């Protein structure tokens, strides 16, 4: 136990020597150890407003892929000020006719708002296999409860921009396709545990460079 | 203890009688008791996709007030699907020259993204009185750590639209002005506990209909 | 505020009138409202030891299905004493050559121990698509981090019995196959968001009674 | 989903019809169902300042018992405003030569401050059996980490008054003596699971009215 | 994975080599990295009872300031044993006629008990602007829900001593006055976001050495 | 703030340079600092499937002690993959006529399943001194709510094997006997705070090597 003589009243009339006890935030220090609750905190004396501001969501993501969609994240791994604060943002761009492939966020709920576009089908599948889906238009919001499969289909006539808020500062993304097909998981195991035909598995593995 | 004989394997090959044990979500039943963790859950059999979709953020909020700003919320009290999921959204409109008055969200972090506008000063004040502020432009995000005072000033040439994500499905908002001046808190107490002049207190109370 | 005169010292020397303030547990009252944190609590006066004991994991689950596996749960929906306590158990039986199909538990970590069997491949897929898999034998434990896809394949010569502990009293289970194929999600949407061939989708939908 | 038209800006300039969405607190409604997170919330319209104020800690607790100590609680079961807020208070009185018997608080940390008295030994036992103890005097604080056995011995020349803060609004108290001896737990089981002599068990059971 | 052969039964009959796995507490090591959940843990072998005991709340805080109040904290930054345990204490002294200025604790609930004094008005303001206030006397407790503005006014005839428990081991304090006036936040911005007159802002800034 | 240009879409079509942002798990790095939320995370690039698999629960624990029981743990201190995931497992062996001595787990709920054996009395004591006990047989499960005293007595004709799941990855164990008798806590203090006779205290201290 250290000897505390820095009384509160001093902290607002005089200056106080406990510079490091500001606990309002814990800006990520990417060079220090990480723990289950997030990154270590940067020395508060070195924190600047730039730790709390992030640019990048104003630019469309690259959509030149099979699904015609792209995603840009503002998560704690690239936005240091979010560390430990339990919220993050992302931007999804979906071309006309494009989709956001089926995926889930283990342990995070997603809440989207349609920023541009119309007739964008948003959908998720509950654990009892029931599908909840609806066409969304500009200004609509939809919640995708944590850990459940969801997807979007842009059936409108213009590209879609979707902002997504997450209930975690470091949500992860598990894509059905890349989880199954972009690695070395044996095709026979995939086939047995999904009932997909081996030929189908091989075909999609080729698209993603999967092996075995 | 009830006698469980509804085995998992049945739940996807046959139908199962435990209709109510879907725990993926807890849509708010506004008519049932509320607890510290949120609203009671609506009967899952009555839940529809409309519980997970909310419209309203596409429309500008009324900004005809002193500050020239307006706010529209998609919180669990008006968006039933958010109940218990730890995230919510809001939309703030700020006219040219307008401001978002100083306020805080007890227990929730806010993460904004500038959807329209430029030269919008975003700022917050840490508990050691240090101010973190910066002009924000379209696509910029800024995090306002939980419980701290913050504000926005639209110094740009166009109206601003700001989306805000919160780390709670039911964030509350404590505005400095209305907390002090839009109630019956005695002016002499306000003066003593804030060092404001009594005349100043009376003047602003008049604007908000405060008494005493 | 009620007038409290039930002092602590009385509670162990005399009897006390606040019968309902036992907070050690909150046994589920299935007839009362449910909230985000779980079921309402049964009146403590009506709680018996049977609320804390559950039978059923001693009996093999029915494995007469395509995957040759079965699952029996001891979750809060069928084991009232678990309500609010953050842990539950299940038993999985897998025939020789059988599998546990790919699935995930939104928001719950699973920790298994092999109770009978050998050469049982346990595997999970991280969100960066990396596969972690290994043959497990009697007495081995494996952890499947929350929300990630996982599966088991019984490559041994005897039926397997696997006990699974969960970091939630009410874990849900999202199966890839039934999520995609045991409902009315349009085949064309499935095809676009998973890259599966429509013919493949139709073929598996038939197995589960899926439509569209 | 209900149709929300109650915009934020109205809430501080005009009155708004969503009277019940104040989420700053959840005062206990003792007549409604209780859940794992606490009591149901009282209708905010019926909440008064008296829900947030509690009297009773100013009065010494009855200490006429074997240990010469008494305890008065301000917990959520008798102080409605604490519901869901994660903190509570108690007052312990210990006569000269008296003790607070060995006990623990399942799931709550206790933090005491000596309000009157001197030479009061405070002690707790860690799970590796190490004892942490020290004489405490007026103004000293000591923390008793959650769930661990602890005790106090008043070796001073004046009665002691100890205030205790808890990291839970509804801490429970498990006393070693009454847990073992003030019920019908078979003496032979107590003896086998504690190594106490049966005669000793019988002797103390008599003090507390225990049976078997 | 390390090879564990330290069985539980050994841990209480023989000594065991896993000295560092005591998880009962995590005493702060102020020299190691800090994370969102608190300080790193001190080596358990170096922890002593002095880490769990803190002196300092027995001494009146310096009250020679404008408000005639002082505050002494026993928080995790100066009381290492509190780290990670979710509770802390403070002592407030208020001279006759003095006040505790309006402030809030972002993310922590405060629960006070009047240890000396009478006719001390305690008050807080809810987010719907409603004021809850009441005169408090010795032995009274009052809860100030997390993040809300609160204040005290000593209208009695003797100095007041108030103990405060917090639902966090590291509560922060945001004072209205110093947040607005003891930094370089532009007076014109303060004026626009609070409706205070610029002259008033300048006047109070002078008291605190604020600039701009 | 670092400049993020690693867009999501790249992460599954190309490789991406942010190797360390996998947040699915936080495998313990025993050499780095520990915090209140657990161990620091091992570099994800060095994590292998062996971090998620643990062997040792297949082997009976040593039961050659007074109680005729043994315990083997798979907790985060010896099973690195469990770090931060909120669940763990243990195996208890109890000889015929043996017992699991009275103990509690501060802050963790235990959920057992009888894997071998019959007529095993499982029991726990609530904080109001009520005993909940029942004979358990193979396949039965029983929940022991967090922090409460519990015990097992093998009254069957065969050795018992009990698997236990915990609602924490690092549960601690506080044994009544070793807490009181396997250290230097003064016998007179034990006697006063438990009402045990000093002679009884001395007698059991001898068994455990306790002093004073």
């Amino acid at each position: 136990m250290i000897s505390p003589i820095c009384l509160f009243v001093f902290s607002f009339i005089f200056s106080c020597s406990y510079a490091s006890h500001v606990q309002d935030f814990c800006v990520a220090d990417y060079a220090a150890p990480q723990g289950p609750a997030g990154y270590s905190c940067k020395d508060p004396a070195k924190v600047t407003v730039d730790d709390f501001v992030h640019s990048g969501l104003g630019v469309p993501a690259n959509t030149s892929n099979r699904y015609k969609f792209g995603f840009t994240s503002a998560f704690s791994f690239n936005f240091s000020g979010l560390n430990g604060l339990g919220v993050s943002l992302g931007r999804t761009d979906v071309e006309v006719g494009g989709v956001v492939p089926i995926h889930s966020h283990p342990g995070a709920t997603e809440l989207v708002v349609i920023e541009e576009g119309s007739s964008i089908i948003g959908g998720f599948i509950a654990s009892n296999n029931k599908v909840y889906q609806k066409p969304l238009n500009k200004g609509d919001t939809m919640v995708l409860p944590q850990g459940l499969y969801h997807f979007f289909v842009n059936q409108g006539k213009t590209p879609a921009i979707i902002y997504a808020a997450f209930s975690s500062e470091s949500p992860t993304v598990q894509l059905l396709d890349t989880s199954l097909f972009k690695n070395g998981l044996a095709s026979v195991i995939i086939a047995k545990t999904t009932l997909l035909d081996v030929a189908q598995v091989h075909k999609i593995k080729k698209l993603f460079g999967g092996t075995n």
Side-chain angles (χ1 to χ4, degrees), chain A:
Chain A
M1 200 199 60
I2 63 170
S3 286
I5 56 163
C6 180
L7 306 182
F8 173 87
V9 68
F10 291 168
S11 77
F12 64 92
I13 303 207
F14 310 110
S15 67
C16 171
S17 59
Y18 290 95
S20 67
H21 74 270
V22 174
Q23 301 282 351
D24 298 324
F25 42 74
C26 170
V27 171
D29 175 352
Y30 297 118
Q34 208 174 339
Y39 296 96
S40 289
C41 312
K42 197 171 168 175
D43 176 354
K46 294 184 181 160
V47 167
T48 71
V49 67
D50 289 329
D51 286 301
F52 302 106
V53 176
H54 177 94
S55 295
L57 297 194
V59 182
N62 186 335
T63 58
S64 54
N65 53 59
R66 240 161 233 107
Y67 308 105
K68 298 187 189 168
F69 97 110
F71 183 83
T72 310
S73 62
F75 292 177
S76 64
F77 82 90
N78 64 358
F79 186 177
S80 57
L82 294 183
N83 190 43
L85 294 177
V87 68
S88 61
L89 275 173
R91 168 191 169 140
T92 300
D93 291 86
V94 193
E95 296 298 324
V96 174
V99 303
V100 179
I102 286 189
H103 65 284
S104 64
H105 306 287
T109 288
E110 179 175 348
L111 175 57
V112 299
V113 56
I114 305 299
E115 131 80 337
E116 294 293 348
S118 62
S119 292
I120 300 153
I121 295 183
F124 73 87
I125 307 165
S127 63
N128 65 353
N129 308 316
K130 184 166 176 183
V131 181
Y132 294 89
Q133 61 181 338
K134 194 174 183 179
L136 306 172
N137 297 304
K138 183 167 178 158
D140 287 350
T141 65
M142 182 172 191
V143 61
L144 296 324
Q146 74 160 12
L148 299 180
Y149 291 122
H150 56 277
F151 59 88
F152 293 92
V153 181
N154 186 356
Q155 297 192 331
K157 295 179 178 172
T158 54
I161 303 175
I162 306 171
Y163 281 120
F166 297 90
S167 66
S168 160
E169 75 265 23
S170 60
T172 54
V173 182
Q174 184 155 45
L175 278 144
L176 187 148
D177 274 345
T178 58
S179 294
L180 295 183
F181 306 121
K182 193 173 181 288
N183 51 39
L185 186 56
S187 296
V188 63
I189 285 185
I190 299 175
K192 288 192 79 163
T193 58
T194 61
L195 305 183
L196 293 176
D197 293 335
V198 170
Q200 174 74 90
V201 172
H202 284 161
K203 183 174 171 186
I204 311 185
K205 276 204 166 187
K206 233 176 238 173
L207 302 179
F208 290 102
T211 55
N212 296 325

